[in-house]
């Protein structure tokens, strides 16, 4: 099957020049609309992953295999850190580049698809401007800000780029003389998508539906002509499930299902999705109220469950009917639901509804709307030149309006406190909004305001252990240790399986110089979360360095640290420091000195101010002197409080 090219070299050259102008327009408009994203700050889960997670702070190795289910995106974060540390600008530049590349890929995909054999001449001759309209609207739509400006949602945007590349390479392969080169590109893109985010599970079905609608003309023809392509892509899903096995095991161990909602059944998650999907659609057409964290509740009313569910099922049925009667239009509707399916069906995920899930589904929806607008415009009794002027004016108005909203939304990320004020305004009963606002009050040193906000969170959810945990952390910062321990104990009463309260109790007891009590609490944390590194490091530090002779046991410290040994720990300064102290306490001074040298070398390569401290430790261990910890200073207490805070 060959592509229908222009009838003359001059026409072909004109078409290429037009495509070049379109590419320039996409890049230029995208830079203007998202320039404000470069002023955005780290927010919410950015801290949990990019600030507090040590595995993102070395370029190589990637760490244990259980982290490999999103290895590609993780590696880009590691590269960002290697090049610029925690300078947020570098992260935003990469996110913006990914978004621009995705928009260019969408333009290429739409343009090539509209030029395929069998496409109506009225569309094929206008492939470039129609594809430009689709790409521009998708590019500047304010719904995209969460996937672009919220740094950690690079998982979503890079998945979107790889997903689009899979389709684009398949189209090119179907038309090229050496199609296998492009098919290899499609396979590589699909595997890259699987290494970016679990939504890649939708690729085989979306690709098959696209093949049937645009390329092969039938399901059997698609499988017959490109069976090798599908055979090479499907195993990526198996690899993704294998890499996710630790996530599933952890969920099962905590009584949860899926990726984060403990105790939420698949049915409770599913019945909440009709309202979420219809909200996504509403925001696609009227993106006025954009909220970082909606605190979406499980649907309980029959109207929400069955009434809205019937609306969504009707839209799905219309898409399936379209695949039968008008497959190219039907594909656009069906792919919208297929891409949403991994996150909007029965697998419970940490949030029931979030805006960044619309990043890729917005593409087929935009294409459907643009094609409908073209069909409507063609029915108007206007001369061709006037029709083009009207189309250009309408597109300009839509792009300008969406860009203005995007610029406005990006400004919120430059002042993250605004994001959480919006959360509370939208949902005053959402405790997480108050907790995150409290964290900004703490950063400003306004502890009374933080206290009020934590109390507001407790008023919303008095039985949520996280609220008590965060209030305890505030008490700890204020060095109200008895009050902090009381809050941690309240958190444990609500969730006896939680390890973090025990770890924080251990830190409080350490500050009180109750080394035996601190060690007992750390052991409790280890028993509840044996896979967690922090409780093990806390216990080993006490066993290796405590001034109390009755507490110290170097060999026991080494035994507790043993499960942490591995390539990732070799790049963890704190682990190396504790390991060296435990080795010295057990009498292995030469080994302790070598470990301290590794820590010194690593600190020097990172330009850490701790390099001089490790140099002194090397000399100490060479003199066969063990290390003894001193009572924590006020600065160390503040640092411990910051670590205890974690993410909210």
């Amino acid at each position: 099957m060959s592509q229908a090219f222009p009838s003359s070299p001059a026409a072909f050259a004109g078409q290429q020049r037009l495509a070049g102008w379109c590419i320039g327009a996409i890049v230029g408009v995208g830079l203007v609309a998202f320039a404000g994203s470069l002023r955005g700050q780290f927010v919410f889960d950015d801290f949990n992953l990019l600030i507090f997670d040590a595995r993102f702070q070395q370029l190589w190795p990637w760490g244990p295999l259980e982290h490999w289910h999103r290895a590609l995106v993780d590696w880009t974060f590691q590269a960002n850190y290697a090049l610029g540390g925690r300078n947020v600008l570098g992260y935003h530049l990469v996110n913006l580049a990914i978004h621009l590349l995705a928009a260019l890929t969408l333009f290429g995909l739409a343009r090539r698809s509209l030029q395929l054999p069998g496409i109506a001449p009225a569309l094929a001759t206008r492939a470039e401007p129609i594809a430009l309209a689709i790409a521009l609207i998708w590019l500047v739509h304010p719904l995209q800000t969460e996937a672009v400006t919220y740094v950690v949602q690079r998982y979503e945007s890079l998945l979107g780029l790889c997903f689009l590349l899979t389709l684009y390479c398949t189209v090119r392969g179907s038309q090229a003389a050496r199609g296998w080169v492009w098919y290899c590109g499609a396979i590589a893109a699909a595997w890259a998508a699987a290494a970016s985010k679990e939504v890649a599970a939708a690729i085989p079905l979306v690709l098959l539906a696209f093949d049937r609608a645009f390329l092969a003309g039938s399901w059997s023809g698609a499988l017959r002509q490109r069976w090798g392509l599908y055979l090479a892509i499907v195993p990526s899903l198996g690899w993704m499930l294998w890499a996710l096995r630790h996530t599933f095991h952890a969920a099962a161990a905590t009584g949860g299902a899926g990726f984060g909602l403990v105790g939420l059944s698949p049915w409770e998650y599913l019945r909440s999705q009709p309202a979420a999907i219809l909200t996504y659609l509403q925001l696609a057409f009227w993106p006025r109220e954009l909220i970082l964290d909606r605190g979406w509740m499980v649907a309980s009313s029959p109207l929400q469950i069955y009434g809205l569910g019937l609306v969504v099922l009707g839209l799905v049925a219309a898409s399936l009917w379209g695949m039968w009667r008008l497959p190219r239009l039907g594909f656009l509707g069906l792919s919208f639901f297929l891409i949403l399916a991994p996150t909007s069906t029965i697998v419970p995920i940490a949030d029931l509804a979030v805006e960044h899930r619309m990043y890729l589904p917005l593409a087929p929806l935009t294409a459907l709307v643009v094609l409908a607008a073209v069909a409507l415009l063609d029915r108007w009794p206007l001369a061709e030149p006037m029709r083009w002027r009207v189309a250009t004016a309408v597109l300009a108005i839509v792009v300008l309006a969406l860009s203005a909203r995007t610029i406005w939304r990006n400004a919120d990320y430059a002042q993250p406190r605004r994001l959480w004020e919006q959360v509370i305004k939208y949902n005053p009963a959402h405790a997480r909004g108050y907790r995150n606002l409290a964290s900004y009050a703490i950063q400003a040193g306004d502890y009374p305001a933080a206290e009020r906000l934590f109390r507001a969170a407790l008023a919303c959810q008095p039985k949520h252990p996280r609220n008590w945990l965060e209030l305890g952390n505030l008490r700890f910062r204020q060095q109200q240790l008895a009050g902090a321990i009381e809050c941690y104990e309240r958190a444990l009463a609500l969730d006896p399986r939680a390890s973090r309260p025990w770890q924080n109790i251990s830190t409080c007891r350490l500050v009180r110089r109750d080394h035996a009590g601190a060690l007992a609490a750390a052991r409790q944390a280890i028993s509840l979360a044996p896979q967690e590194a922090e409780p093990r490091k806390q216990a080993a530090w006490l066993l290796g360095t405590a001034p109390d002779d009755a507490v110290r046991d170097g060999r026991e410290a080494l035994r507790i640290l043993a499960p942490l040994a591995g390539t990732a720990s070799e790049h963890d300064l704190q682990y190396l420091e504790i390991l060296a102290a435990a080795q010295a306490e057990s009498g292995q001074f030469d080994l302790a000195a070598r470990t301290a040298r590794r820590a010194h070398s690593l600190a020097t390569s990172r330009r850490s101010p701790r390099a001089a401290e490790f140099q002194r430790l090397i000399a100490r261990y060479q003199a066969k002197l063990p290390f003894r910890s001193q009572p924590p200073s006020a600065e160390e207490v503040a640092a411990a409080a910051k670590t205890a805070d974690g993410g909210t």
Side-chain angles (χ1 to χ4, degrees):
M1 184 182 293
S2 61
Q3 183 175 348
F5 286 101
S7 57
S8 69
F12 177 74
Q15 205 173 62
Q16 294 301 102
R17 282 196 299 272
L18 180 57
W21 280 107
C22 290
I23 289 170
I26 290 168
V27 173
V29 172
L31 289 174
V32 171
F34 279 91
S37 72
L38 303 181
R39 295 191 293 271
Q41 303 299 311
F42 288 126
V43 297
F44 201 22
D45 280 341
D46 290 343
F47 293 100
N48 288 340
L49 291 178
L50 306 180
I51 304 299
F52 295 118
D53 195 331
R55 68 191 169 96
F56 289 100
Q57 296 172 17
Q58 73 265 350
L59 188 59
W60 184 264
W62 283 359
L65 290 178
E66 59 261 30
H67 297 311
W68 279 33
H69 66 285
R70 295 184 175 183
L72 178 60
V73 185
D74 289 352
W75 182 81
T76 67
F77 286 136
Q78 290 170 334
N80 262 129
Y81 186 87
L83 293 172
R86 290 173 177 162
N87 183 350
V88 70
L89 177 60
Y91 294 85
H92 282 305
L93 285 171
V94 173
N95 278 24
L96 179 53
I98 290 170
H99 187 47
L100 290 173
L101 288 172
L104 292 172
T105 306
L106 177 60
F107 168 74
L109 174 62
R111 174 176 175 253
R112 295 278 174 175
S113 299
L114 289 170
Q115 292 173 337
L116 289 169
I119 297 293
L123 296 177
T125 56
R126 295 178 288 179
E128 283 80 10
I130 293 174
L132 176 65
I134 293 169
L136 281 179
I137 293 171
W138 181 84
L139 170 69
V140 303
H141 199 291
L143 260 181
Q144 308 295 50
T145 54
E146 190 168 300
V148 178
T149 315
Y150 180 9
V151 173
V152 82
Q153 295 309 330
R154 184 181 300 174
Y155 291 105
E156 195 77 41
S157 59
L158 190 53
L159 172 277
L161 171 59
C162 296
F163 204 122
L164 291 168
L165 280 171
T166 303
L167 297 176
Y168 176 76
C169 290
T170 301
V171 172
R172 295 299 303 269
S174 71
Q175 304 298 305
R178 294 198 300 170
W180 64 271
V181 175
W182 288 102
Y183 290 145
C184 286
I187 294 165
W191 278 81
S196 298
K197 196 171 183 181
E198 295 72 25
V199 177
I203 286 180
L205 288 177
V206 172
L207 182 60
L208 182 62
F210 180 86
D211 199 344
R212 182 261 177 271
F214 286 90
L215 303 176
S218 68
W219 301 105
S220 60
L223 292 172
R224 185 174 60 255
Q225 293 174 27
R226 274 168 284 279
W227 62 269
L229 175 64
Y230 296 104
L231 197 62
I233 287 176
V234 168
S236 67
L237 307 186
W239 170 78
M240 187 169 59
L241 289 172
W242 175 85
L244 279 168
R245 69 196 187 285
H246 292 282
T247 302
F248 289 123
H249 290 164
T254 58
F259 304 101
L261 285 180
V262 176
L264 189 78
S265 71
W267 163 239
E268 288 175 311
Y269 190 84
L270 176 64
R271 78 191 197 198
S272 305
Q273 290 310 299
I277 291 170
L278 293 175
T279 298
Y280 296 154
L281 288 171
Q282 176 237 310
L283 290 172
F285 289 95
W286 190 250
R288 178 176 174 273
E289 199 168 55
L290 300 176
I291 306 297
L292 178 68
D293 181 16
R294 292 177 176 269
W296 203 269
M297 301 298 292
V298 175
S300 56
S301 74
L303 175 61
Q304 287 181 313
I305 300 170
Y306 301 108
L308 300 184
L310 284 173
V311 174
V312 172
L313 286 176
L315 293 173
V316 174
S319 300
L320 291 171
W321 178 86
M323 281 297 298
W324 175 46
R325 298 300 301 271
L326 300 167
R328 285 165 179 161
L329 290 178
F331 164 78
L332 296 174
L334 184 62
S335 61
F336 171 85
F337 291 105
L338 288 175
I339 297 167
L340 276 178
T343 55
S344 297
T345 49
I346 65 170
V347 180
I349 307 175
D351 291 289
L352 279 80
V354 283
E355 290 164 9
H356 62 256
R357 290 177 191 163
M358 273 294 286
Y359 182 78
L360 187 57
L362 188 62
L365 183 62
T366 302
L368 192 61
V369 171
V370 169
L371 290 173
V374 169
L376 182 63
L377 190 60
D378 283 344
R379 291 178 178 273
W380 278 18
L382 295 173
E384 188 67 18
M386 180 58 69
R387 188 175 292 141
W388 276 105
R389 292 190 192 100
V390 171
T392 302
V394 170
L395 177 62
I397 291 169
V398 170
V399 169
L400 284 172
L402 293 175
S403 297
R405 182 68 181 97
T406 292
I407 292 169
W408 181 18
R409 180 58 174 168
N410 280 330
D412 293 335
Y413 285 88
Q415 302 180 49
R417 187 185 183 98
R418 257 202 249 168
L419 295 171
W420 297 107
E421 290 170 347
Q422 293 164 358
V423 166
I424 291 172
K425 182 179 178 181
Y426 171 81
N427 185 356
H430 190 24
R432 194 157 59 191
Y434 295 103
R435 288 201 304 268
N436 280 279
L437 267 181
S439 72
Y440 289 103
I442 290 171
Q443 289 176 21
D446 191 350
Y447 291 162
E451 171 86 17
R452 290 193 298 273
L453 289 162
F454 281 133
R455 289 295 178 186
L458 280 166
C460 296
Q461 292 179 304
K463 294 185 178 181
H464 196 305
R466 189 63 188 253
N467 294 330
W468 289 105
L469 181 69
E470 298 293 345
L471 183 58
N473 292 345
L474 176 62
R475 297 274 185 274
F476 183 80
R477 281 180 170 274
Q478 297 170 300
Q479 299 190 41
Q480 300 174 14
L481 300 181
I485 291 174
E486 180 184 354
C487 290
Y488 297 143
E489 288 173 344
R490 293 287 295 270
L492 283 170
L494 293 167
D495 184 6
R497 298 174 300 179
S499 65
R500 172 61 77 171
W502 279 116
Q503 186 179 333
N504 291 1
I505 289 171
S506 174
T507 304
C508 289
R509 290 175 177 172
L510 176 60
V511 173
R512 283 178 155 184
R513 307 184 196 180
D514 177 9
H515 298 96
L519 178 60
R523 289 185 187 278
Q524 285 280 7
I526 292 171
S527 69
L528 290 165
Q531 76 284 356
E532 292 290 331
E534 294 306 317
R536 288 186 177 276
K537 291 193 288 188
Q538 176 98 324
W541 178 252
L542 287 160
L543 288 163
T545 69
D548 188 344
D549 293 342
V551 172
R552 286 198 316 279
D553 186 338
R555 295 190 182 279
E556 176 66 6
L558 291 174
R559 188 191 68 78
I560 287 175
L561 285 175
L564 302 183
T567 53
S569 295
E570 292 301 311
H571 295 267
D572 182 348
L573 281 174
Q574 187 184 55
Y575 166 81
L576 292 173
E577 179 185 17
I578 295 168
L579 177 61
Q583 290 166 339
E585 178 59 27
S586 62
Q588 304 175 53
F589 289 103
D590 291 341
L591 193 57
R594 287 200 295 272
T595 302
R597 285 192 194 96
R598 294 207 307 273
H600 176 264
S601 176
L602 183 62
T604 302
S605 68
R606 294 180 179 176
R607 299 179 183 178
S608 169
R610 298 203 65 199
E613 183 182 338
F614 285 116
Q615 187 66 54
R616 290 191 293 271
L617 285 176
I618 294 169
R620 185 181 188 91
Y621 296 144
Q622 286 175 333
K624 301 192 181 305
L625 295 172
F627 183 82
R628 295 290 176 266
S629 61
Q630 301 297 319
S633 65
E635 292 78 11
E636 289 170 325
V637 170
K642 185 176 180 181
T643 302
D645 284 345
T648 58

